[in-house]
Amino acid sequence: MNFRVPFINLSAQHDSIRGELEDAIRKVLDSSAFAGGRFVQEFEEDFARYCECKHAAGVGNGTDALWLSLLALGVGVGDEVITVPNTFIATAEAISLCGARAVFVDVDERTYTMDPSLIEDAITDRTRALIPVHLFGQAADMDPILEIARQHNLFVIEDAAQAHGARYKGRRVGGIGDVGCFSFYPGKNLGALGEAGAIVTNSDRLHEAICILRDHGQTRKYQHARIGWNCRMDGIQASALSVKLKYLDHNNSRRRSHAGQYERVFAGMEVIVPFEAPYAEHVYHVYAIRTTDRDEVIWTLREKGIECGIHYPVPIHLQRAYKSLGYSTGVFPVSERVAEEFISLPMFPELSQMEMDVVMFSLKEAVLNKALRSDSPSFLARVAS
Ligand SMILES: *Cc1c(COP(=O)(O)O)cnc(C)c1O
């Protein structure tokens, strides 16, 4: 079997705009604006405009973005921050590394994002902030989350690392809560040529605090108002990101079109396809289906040359690193169940029709064969009951 369908293909993305990217890198080289500087400022303006937000601050990566946001909001030792267990570990790490305690609430079974009906039970006197994650490219249900935050005087930080350009009730994610955090890790919907991230906000005060914190707490050269860290974005990344940002909407619409095709072909099969909530415009950073015997299906697909992923196989409350929080198996049933059923299929803008056909045909075959051999009740019927 020679034909391979990669999980993601960054060369395809960069080959088509290689000249533009090389020019962008050369401009930085010519001007030596490597750390912070003109290109970072230009990208920040472009990205804030794109997010329909007043400010954007470039930082080193998405983890920095989350951590600096919490620091800028004054979250620290003794505080609690509520997020979800089915996310990339960085969401929780940022909470822990500013000294606060991560508190989890389970997610909605259809959207896989924070279930607003579970938040109030998790709020204590120590709760300071909520971090909903716009997982896989779909916004969390922000209105009820913002309403709970308002009632309890909590900050809302959007983890938008997987949702560049996604919309919630027509608004771009990132600027809906107090701050929005983005990652430009190469595989994200908007990816740098290395590591980068950004924080967007409509608050002048928060933006200023973030800009000071990311540069060692400096207010003027060698005048340090508070203890910060080095979380600056670099010029080459900023310059490349300004080029790639122009193609983001087009690329997101390609992803949406691929998702539509997957969904039409998978209809009626024993798999659960992603649900696009009525309030959302999903940008399919990850196209995750659910099925029984997930590992077997992944192996069958791998034998046919198709690379899949799992996002994520172990929820954070069950990770060894978070053992000290004292959560046990069974406390977040939705997150735990979906972690065993998820398969992320190849999804990237440049996916060809031939590649999609191979994925669709092979998955159909894998799932049908599995159903023929099994005498257990239908997966969909079981999930629905
Ligand atoms: C990628 C990601 C991050 C971290 O971003 P980095 O740039 O890798 O530090 C945080 N949260 C979520 C949900 C992510 O997917």
Side-chain angles (χ1 to χ4, degrees):
M1 181 82 225
N2 294 320
F3 194 76
R4 265 185 71 252
V5 184
F7 182 62
I8 128 169
N9 184 347
L10 292 177
S11 314
Q13 193 178 117
H14 295 140
D15 284 349
S16 65
I17 52 170
R18 194 179 185 101
E20 270 189 281
L21 289 172
E22 285 174 354
D23 286 346
I25 295 169
R26 194 170 309 112
K27 271 197 293 185
V28 182
L29 204 51
D30 290 344
S31 70
S32 294
F34 294 121
R38 173 156 77 84
F39 298 100
V40 173
Q41 250 169 30
E42 276 172 25
F43 172 69
E44 288 172 341
E45 281 160 26
D46 296 343
F47 193 63
R49 199 174 315 114
Y50 180 85
C51 293
E52 299 164 2
C53 215
K54 196 163 173 196
H55 303 287
V59 292
N61 53 58
T63 312
D64 277 355
L66 288 159
W67 182 61
L68 285 191
S69 296
L70 287 161
L71 288 183
L73 290 167
V75 175
V77 176
D79 295 334
E80 291 177 358
V81 177
I82 297 175
T83 189
V84 292
N86 68 327
T87 176
F88 182 57
I89 189 99
T91 321
E93 283 175 321
I95 299 169
S96 310
L97 284 193
C98 63
R101 181 185 176 88
V103 173
F104 299 114
V105 296
D106 212 349
V107 293
D108 177 85
E109 160 111 50
R110 291 217 288 174
T111 61
Y112 314 130
T113 58
M114 185 177 273
D115 183 342
S117 72
L118 301 174
I119 298 172
E120 286 199 292
D121 280 346
I123 294 176
T124 71
D125 301 345
R126 295 167 173 251
T127 310
R128 298 290 309 281
L130 307 176
I131 312 186
V133 179
H134 303 317
L135 196 77
F136 299 160
Q138 171 154 261
D141 192 1
M142 292 304 289
D143 278 347
I145 293 172
L146 292 170
E147 179 54 26
I148 293 165
R150 199 186 54 77
Q151 282 169 11
H152 297 266
N153 205 16
L154 308 174
F155 298 115
V156 176
I157 299 170
E158 296 172 63
D159 185 338
Q162 303 190 359
H164 318 69
R167 291 183 188 273
Y168 175 76
K169 299 187 178 173
R171 295 173 64 190
R172 294 264 200 217
V173 300
I176 300 171
D178 294 288
V179 286
C181 298
F182 289 88
S183 161
F184 306 120
Y185 182 76
K188 302 287 163 108
N189 283 30
L190 177 60
L193 306 179
E195 304 274 355
I199 303 168
V200 301
T201 181
N202 287 304
S203 155
D204 299 338
R205 192 183 55 77
L206 275 175
H207 178 66
E208 195 194 1
I210 287 159
C211 290
I212 290 172
L213 282 167
R214 72 171 167 185
D215 194 20
H216 299 290
Q218 276 193 134
T219 44
R220 278 182 299 127
K221 198 166 174 80
Y222 301 128
Q223 302 298 314
H224 304 273
R226 58 182 292 189
I227 299 171
W229 197 248
N230 174 0
C231 302
R232 294 180 299 253
M233 179 182 264
D234 87 65
I236 289 182
Q237 299 313 330
S239 186
L241 283 165
S242 286
V243 170
K244 292 185 70 178
L245 180 60
K246 293 185 291 178
Y247 302 98
L248 178 57
D249 280 340
H250 172 74
N251 286 339
N252 280 345
S253 71
R254 300 282 307 154
R255 289 174 185 269
R256 288 178 57 77
S257 144
H258 298 334
Q261 233 191 101
Y262 274 158
E263 179 172 341
R264 283 191 295 281
V265 169
F266 300 154
M269 277 170 52
E270 289 280 295
V271 298
I272 296 174
V273 296
F275 167 70
E276 183 175 40
Y279 56 69
E281 189 176 306
H282 202 314
V283 293
Y284 298 97
H285 171 59
V286 167
Y287 189 90
I289 58 163
R290 287 162 55 198
T291 179
T292 47
D293 306 311
R294 179 262 313 274
D295 295 336
E296 185 190 324
V297 174
I298 287 183
W299 271 108
T300 311
L301 293 176
R302 187 167 299 167
E303 277 167 11
K304 294 178 186 299
I306 299 163
E307 276 176 23
C308 297
I310 301 175
H311 299 91
Y312 295 90
V314 183
I316 299 181
H317 68 289
L318 301 179
Q319 294 282 357
R320 196 146 62 98
Y322 277 102
K323 217 176 150 161
S324 64
L325 292 181
Y327 290 109
S328 51
T329 306
V331 286
F332 302 118
V334 177
S335 295
E336 292 170 27
R337 182 163 358 104
V338 297
E340 289 177 0
E341 297 173 347
F342 272 143
I343 302 177
S344 308
L345 297 181
M347 171 55 79
F348 50 91
E350 301 78 12
L351 203 56
S352 70
Q353 189 60 50
M354 166 118 94
E355 288 170 325
M356 292 199 66
D357 288 343
V358 170
V359 173
M360 294 186 291
F361 181 82
S362 306
L363 182 76
K364 216 167 183 167
E365 197 182 48
V367 172
L368 278 177
N369 282 340
K370 183 165 67 70
L372 285 177
R373 274 186 285 102
S374 141
D375 50 1
S376 58
S378 136
F379 174 56
L380 291 183
R382 199 150 44 74
V383 168
S385 66

